[in-house]
Amino acid sequence: MFLRVVKNNKGVEYLRIVESYRENGKIKQRTIANVGRIDSFSESEAKNIVNKLIQIFDLKNYIDTEDIKKAPDKRNYGAKVIVNKIFERYEMKRYFERLDKDIKYNAEEMLKIMVMNRIVEPRSKLGIFNNLEYFGYNKVEAEKGKDLEEKDVMLHWLYRTLDILADNKESIEKHMYNQRISLFNTTVDLVFYDVTTLAFETQQTNEILQMGYSKDKKFNESQIVLGMSIDQDRMPVSFDIYAGNTFEGHTFKDSIEKMKKEYQLGKVIVVADRGMMSKKNIEVVENSNYEFIVGKSIKQIKKVNIFEGEFIEIAKGIEYREVEYENKRLLIIHSEERAKKDRADRLRLIEKAKKMLEEGNIDSKSKRGAKKYLKEQNKQNYTLDINKIQNDEKYDGYYGIMTNTKLNPKQILEQYHTLWKVEETFRTLKNYLETRPVFHWTPKRIKGHIVMSFISYIMQRTLELELEKNNIEYSHEKIREAIKKMEYSEIRLKDKLFALRANLSDFQKAILKTLKIEKPKKMMELDEFKKQSPKTRIKS
């Protein structure tokens, strides 16, 4: 039985009491009573009817909206319950309990707060501190003699936690790796390695902050170099930080030696781009009994005419031929799609070179970009280098892949092309989780910030893998918006405080269900709601 509003042909609204019934297997409805025209009831008369129904049916849990006093600001609970659940899976509490017993606050909880912030809306540590109430914590300035409550947070606790992360970087990496292997019941047999740069909004330098070649074209800012190994599931295995002027190829040896020593990986294929693999680096991989798949600059190949011989189609628009080169397998690949890109890139640089000639704006020291298509006839007199242009045109669409594996050519090509996984990981770290710009300047704080971002990405990726396992479509932004909108409002009903949860979308429900998190009640007492969260301080 339910109420229904109906309109007549003049637009007048009437209220009816209607019930559903089944006849010959079909559901039908009939009117039990006509209550009358809606506009004929005053507000007080409508309230009297409601109050009488409450008395008749003894509706003890009914709430009159006039009794509710609602707080103006919403607060987030989604990030907290999700991060709590994933931290439990990685047994982070057990890890932090093994650390320095003299820590008088809950360092794990400070890390959670920073991870929540990374996932929902990245801010500086001071920004996090000023926004603590949004996640249900209390901002407390340092005051002597003040007794702290369970949800109190001091700013220096956040910074001190970064120091703890920096001091324990290697053991954190190893703990999370071991937990993940156990959690997903998986093995790592394919490792992708790449390097990126992280810019700082300053020109000051120190032992790791240095001016260097920026992959983000931020040549007027100091930077660090970040090398990272990830597995086939786009999960980071480990990372290392180098001075901003370090050549990327020099970082590779450290990563391989660390994997061999710290992670005791079995048979592993290392996949890397051509900038990584010098002859020395290839020796390092082979001496570690690992296999490799690496890009090889086609123009650097000597003693082999890449244009001769029969090419075999391996996929639509892609052909290859295989030769032996320096006692390794070399696949010479030609891609129609890549040929189009190479041509478009070259034409763009040619146009830029012509513009440089017209404007006389030529950097004589530079050999990069459009400058490579200019040749100096005499001092400060340049012209287009037609021979260089024609020579480059011959190589459109060609590239090389070297390997010591026994995989078939199609498998080799597929594994090499999955290097985009590393690029995607770096993009997520740099853009989505806001690893940069970094607002710390000392080497230790920089290191701590990167460790925190590393952990945040693993938490994010763990959620993504769970969604993939359950065939639930997602995007980074969709996840962020879903978690951000898992909010509640604090309301006062007579003399009690309640948490009123916002309605959940199907995707939000799917996230909670996937992680086996019980959906919070639509409304519950605030104290009961807050019991879901751990304490921020440790009693001595």
Side-chain angles (χ1 to χ4, degrees):
M1 194 177 297
F2 56 94
L3 294 174
R4 168 172 284 172
V5 176
V6 295
K7 287 182 181 181
N8 65 15
N9 55 8
K10 294 182 180 180
V12 179
E13 294 182 323
Y14 290 83
L15 188 64
R16 293 176 181 174
I17 300 175
V18 179
E19 73 170 359
S20 298
Y21 67 97
R22 188 177 291 274
E23 184 179 281
N24 298 326
K26 293 183 179 181
I27 296 175
K28 297 184 177 182
Q29 294 173 350
R30 59 187 166 213
T31 301
I32 301 299
N34 286 302
V35 180
R37 285 178 57 152
I38 290 177
D39 59 6
S40 67
F41 290 92
S42 66
E43 184 178 341
S44 60
E45 286 174 325
K47 282 188 177 181
N48 287 336
I49 293 171
V50 172
N51 289 332
K52 193 65 179 177
L53 287 170
I54 292 168
Q55 292 174 18
I56 293 170
F57 294 103
D58 192 22
L59 302 178
K60 294 177 181 177
N61 294 324
Y62 173 77
I63 299 171
D64 190 335
T65 54
E66 286 193 354
D67 292 333
I68 296 176
K69 291 184 179 177
K70 190 173 178 180
D73 297 324
K74 291 182 179 180
R75 296 182 179 181
N76 188 282
Y77 71 89
K80 186 178 292 185
V81 297
I82 289 168
V83 170
N84 281 346
K85 176 62 72 171
I86 302 177
F87 265 57
E88 284 175 15
R89 292 190 178 189
Y90 280 87
E91 297 188 14
M92 297 302 285
K93 183 177 182 181
R94 177 171 65 85
Y95 175 83
F96 276 91
E97 283 175 347
R98 297 200 305 259
L99 295 181
D100 189 349
K101 302 297 181 184
D102 292 332
I103 301 172
K104 299 301 181 184
Y105 65 93
N106 191 332
E108 182 204 9
E109 194 66 13
M110 296 304 103
L111 174 58
K112 284 182 184 178
I113 290 171
M114 290 187 279
V115 171
M116 284 182 243
N117 170 263
R118 291 286 106 182
I119 292 173
V120 173
E121 189 175 358
R123 299 169 183 250
S124 66
K125 305 307 172 289
L126 181 59
I128 296 172
F129 183 67
N130 290 328
N131 195 45
L132 282 170
E133 286 190 0
Y134 180 66
F135 293 111
Y137 298 92
N138 305 318
K139 181 176 81 170
V140 176
E141 306 291 345
E143 293 180 15
K144 290 183 179 180
K146 183 182 185 301
D147 291 331
L148 297 176
E149 297 178 3
E150 288 184 355
K151 296 300 172 189
D152 287 349
V153 175
M154 289 188 173
L155 179 59
H156 73 270
W157 290 355
L158 297 173
Y159 289 117
R160 170 69 182 119
T161 301
L162 291 183
D163 295 339
I164 293 170
L165 296 178
D167 290 339
N168 295 277
K169 170 192 173 292
E170 283 73 22
S171 67
I172 289 172
E173 284 177 314
K174 198 166 182 180
H175 171 83
M176 299 200 76
Y177 171 81
N178 290 334
Q179 289 301 123
R180 179 167 59 80
I181 295 301
S182 173
L183 184 64
F184 290 101
N185 191 26
T186 187
T187 57
V188 174
D189 52 15
L190 192 64
V191 174
F192 301 88
Y193 183 79
D194 204 355
V195 165
T196 192
T197 53
L198 300 177
F200 290 67
E201 295 182 341
T202 181
Q203 290 187 341
Q204 72 180 67
T205 59
N206 56 36
E207 59 190 87
I208 63 169
L209 270 182
Q210 294 289 333
M211 308 299 286
Y213 176 73
S214 170
K215 295 201 171 189
D216 301 313
K217 310 303 179 187
K218 296 189 175 183
F219 299 113
N220 294 319
E221 296 179 2
S222 57
Q223 64 178 23
I224 61 171
V225 170
L226 176 67
M228 183 179 290
S229 302
I230 71 165
D231 68 12
Q232 59 268 30
D233 292 322
R234 297 214 316 268
M235 272 289 199
V237 176
S238 66
F239 74 92
D240 282 294
I241 301 168
Y242 301 89
N245 57 358
T246 305
F247 170 60
E248 60 181 23
H250 295 164
T251 69
F252 186 78
K253 181 173 180 287
D254 292 342
S255 179
I256 296 300
E257 290 179 347
K258 179 194 281 189
M259 282 193 290
K260 185 72 176 177
K261 179 181 177 183
E262 299 294 335
Y263 297 98
Q264 289 85 47
L265 301 180
K267 182 182 177 183
V268 170
I269 301 175
V270 179
V271 185
D273 211 348
R274 64 190 186 189
M276 294 295 127
M277 297 298 270
S278 62
K279 283 187 178 180
K280 286 186 178 180
N281 283 342
I282 288 176
E283 288 175 7
V284 169
V285 175
E286 292 186 307
N287 290 340
S288 299
N289 294 320
Y290 293 161
E291 295 179 330
F292 66 84
I293 299 172
V294 59
K296 177 71 177 174
S297 174
I298 210 78
K299 294 177 185 176
Q300 292 177 359
I301 295 173
K302 310 296 182 185
K303 300 178 182 178
V304 174
N305 188 329
I306 68 166
F307 307 108
E308 288 182 352
E310 182 184 358
F311 280 75
I312 302 167
E313 186 174 69
I314 194 172
K316 187 177 180 181
I318 301 176
E319 298 176 322
Y320 86 97
R321 75 182 182 98
E322 182 175 331
V323 298
E324 184 178 309
Y325 186 77
E326 296 179 349
N327 298 318
K328 308 289 187 300
R329 296 173 66 192
L330 171 65
L331 268 63
I332 302 169
I333 313 289
H334 182 266
S335 162
E336 292 177 4
E337 195 67 32
R338 178 142 179 176
K340 291 176 185 176
K341 182 182 182 302
D342 289 345
R343 183 173 185 275
D345 289 345
R346 185 176 59 261
L347 290 175
R348 177 177 52 81
L349 290 177
I350 291 170
E351 288 303 313
K352 193 172 180 181
K354 288 178 179 177
K355 189 174 181 181
M356 291 167 66
L357 288 174
E358 290 173 7
E359 297 177 352
N361 184 20
I362 301 171
D363 181 359
S364 59
K365 296 180 181 179
S366 174
K367 294 182 180 179
R368 296 180 179 274
K371 175 67 182 346
K372 72 177 183 176
Y373 289 133
L374 296 177
K375 65 178 179 180
E376 192 173 9
Q377 290 183 318
N378 48 58
K379 195 172 183 180
Q380 295 300 313
N381 187 13
Y382 292 86
T383 184
L384 273 180
D385 191 338
I386 302 301
N387 290 335
K388 172 68 173 169
I389 293 171
Q390 290 175 343
N391 186 63
D392 280 2
E393 188 176 0
K394 291 191 304 184
Y395 293 95
D396 283 356
Y398 286 94
Y399 59 99
I401 302 175
M402 277 185 68
T403 184
N404 64 348
T405 69
K406 293 181 180 179
L407 298 176
N408 65 51
K410 189 170 184 180
Q411 291 172 321
I412 293 167
L413 189 65
E414 286 173 351
Q415 300 295 13
Y416 181 71
H417 282 175
T418 49
L419 266 173
W420 66 267
K421 291 183 177 185
V422 188
E423 296 169 0
E424 174 70 15
T425 299
F426 278 135
R427 272 196 298 272
T428 304
L429 272 169
K430 295 168 87 170
N431 300 326
Y432 180 65
L433 294 176
E434 292 292 325
T435 304
R436 61 174 173 90
V438 188
F439 298 102
H440 304 284
W441 313 119
T442 65
K444 192 170 189 177
R445 289 281 162 83
I446 292 169
K447 186 177 181 181
H449 176 81
I450 303 298
V451 175
M452 183 272 293
S453 297
F454 173 84
I455 294 170
S456 299
Y457 178 78
I458 289 177
M459 298 294 133
Q460 167 85 16
R461 186 64 192 140
T462 299
L463 171 56
E464 292 174 357
L465 288 174
E466 291 290 350
L467 292 173
E468 288 174 16
K469 198 162 66 177
N470 288 275
N471 297 315
I472 299 169
E473 291 186 6
Y474 69 88
S475 67
H476 298 321
E477 277 307 317
K478 190 176 179 182
I479 290 173
R480 170 174 278 179
E481 283 303 307
I483 297 174
K484 193 173 182 178
K485 289 180 179 178
M486 289 184 189
E487 296 177 317
Y488 71 96
S489 298
E490 290 185 10
I491 60 172
R492 182 175 292 278
L493 176 58
K494 295 180 180 176
D495 59 344
K496 282 189 176 181
L497 281 171
F498 290 83
L500 181 64
R501 171 181 60 76
N503 290 331
L504 292 170
S505 68
D506 289 342
F507 184 60
Q508 288 171 318
K509 291 175 186 175
I511 289 175
L512 296 177
K513 185 177 180 181
T514 296
L515 293 176
K516 296 181 173 59
I517 298 172
E518 187 177 349
K519 183 177 70 174
K521 296 175 184 176
K522 179 68 178 175
M523 193 170 85
M524 59 197 298
E525 289 190 24
L526 188 61
D527 288 343
E528 182 187 352
F529 189 86
K530 287 187 173 181
K531 281 178 184 176
Q532 303 171 91
S533 308
K535 300 174 182 178
T536 58
R537 62 190 175 88
I538 298 173
K539 293 181 179 178
S540 53

